[in-house]
Amino acid sequence: MTTDDPTARLAGVLADIEHAKKLAGRTDAVELIAVSKTHPADAIEPLIAAGQRVFGENRVQEAQGKWPALRERHPDIRLALIGQLQSNKAADAVALFDEIHSLDRPSLVSALAKAMESGRRPNCFVQVNIGDEAQKGGCAIADLPALLAEVRAADLPIAGLMAIPPADVEPAPYFALLAKLARDHGLTGLSMGMSSDYPTAVTLGATHVRVGSALFGARV
Ligand SMILES: *Cc1c(COP(=O)(O)O)cnc(C)c1O
């Protein structure tokens, strides 16, 4: 998208999502998470004014600095944590976020379970290292059944699976694989698709897309 107007960018992304849903014959909802990492409050406000209500951040500390004041003005905002979470930040994350998309290891299951004794229970997505890349976050596909068993034993609210496909290759096979893994494990939520590939992700069943630069412009 080339427009400088955030309202037009948002309308464009929403139209792309609707078009992809139509292609796939879908009538269910797709949640657009506007990824606002690195962008200051004055870049976020225009999207809120245009009607966007769900935002994503990848660092707990950055979100803690930015969102409490914004939320005071807009109490109906929902926040998603999309980046790696350290166990010692689990309590802060549970206090601030409504969704956590980066649950990827057993130590985090116990840290989140403990943090949720507070009564706040953000929906969790288990992140899968779908391309089996050494440098990427997410649990190995082979470890997914055991991790999901731990998540269920700890009674965490589990919404579905999340993945980031390898860069610079066709993402569709990875989206299809994530959808199959979710189906195999009886999960309905699929957090997949970013600025470069969200229409493809929606045609393959994404229920949550995480879109940053297509809404905000390039990160600085
Ligand atoms: C930054 C980020 C996004 C958004 O990326 P864009 O390419 O700017 O849309 C999505 N998901 C995760 C996990 C991210 O870190």
Side-chain angles (χ1 to χ4, degrees):
M1 239 147 290
T2 51
T3 173
D4 275 342
D5 173 10
T7 305
R9 283 189 182 140
L10 176 61
V13 169
L14 289 171
D16 289 346
I17 290 172
E18 281 313 306
H19 180 67
K21 279 175 60 178
K22 201 164 284 173
L23 284 178
R26 293 181 58 183
T27 53
D28 57 330
V30 174
E31 180 170 284
L32 170 62
I33 299 170
V35 177
S36 49
K37 65 186 186 200
T38 77
H39 297 290
D42 57 2
I44 297 170
E45 285 280 10
L47 280 181
I48 298 175
Q52 177 64 24
R53 284 297 177 273
V54 188
F55 290 85
E57 292 282 344
N58 68 338
R59 287 156 163 257
V60 175
Q61 220 166 340
E62 182 185 340
Q64 281 174 323
K66 219 154 63 176
W67 281 100
L70 279 164
R71 269 179 153 174
E72 219 157 276
R73 291 196 286 283
H74 311 282
D76 56 341
I77 294 238
R78 294 170 46 78
L79 286 183
L81 177 65
I82 60 168
Q84 275 228 341
L85 177 57
Q86 292 171 297
S87 296
N88 63 7
K89 295 261 175 67
D92 289 342
V94 164
L96 184 64
F97 290 94
D98 304 289
E99 299 173 7
I100 294 174
H101 290 238
S102 48
L103 173 49
D104 63 356
R105 59 192 190 278
S107 60
L108 202 46
V109 173
S110 33
L112 286 171
K114 190 156 186 300
M116 287 186 200
E117 287 169 10
S118 65
R120 276 189 57 84
R121 292 174 58 76
N123 264 328
C124 296
F125 290 78
V126 169
Q127 184 177 350
V128 181
N129 186 350
I130 201 73
D132 195 22
E133 297 172 280
Q135 78 284 10
K136 273 258 172 81
C139 88
I141 291 174
D143 297 338
L144 181 61
L147 183 57
L148 283 173
E150 294 209 30
V151 168
R152 285 173 165 142
D155 193 30
L156 295 188
I158 167 92
L161 302 181
M162 179 274 218
I164 308 168
D168 306 321
V169 295
E170 168 59 42
Y174 297 97
F175 293 149
L177 177 57
L178 193 72
K180 180 191 183 312
L181 290 170
R183 259 194 325 274
D184 289 350
H185 291 282
L187 297 166
T188 50
L190 280 173
S191 170
M192 57 188 198
M194 305 176 27
S195 291
S196 58
D197 54 22
Y198 64 92
T200 305
V202 169
T203 61
L204 290 166
T207 58
H208 296 65
V209 292
R210 311 176 310 268
V211 178
S213 40
L215 290 169
F216 287 96
R219 281 180 291 276
V220 282

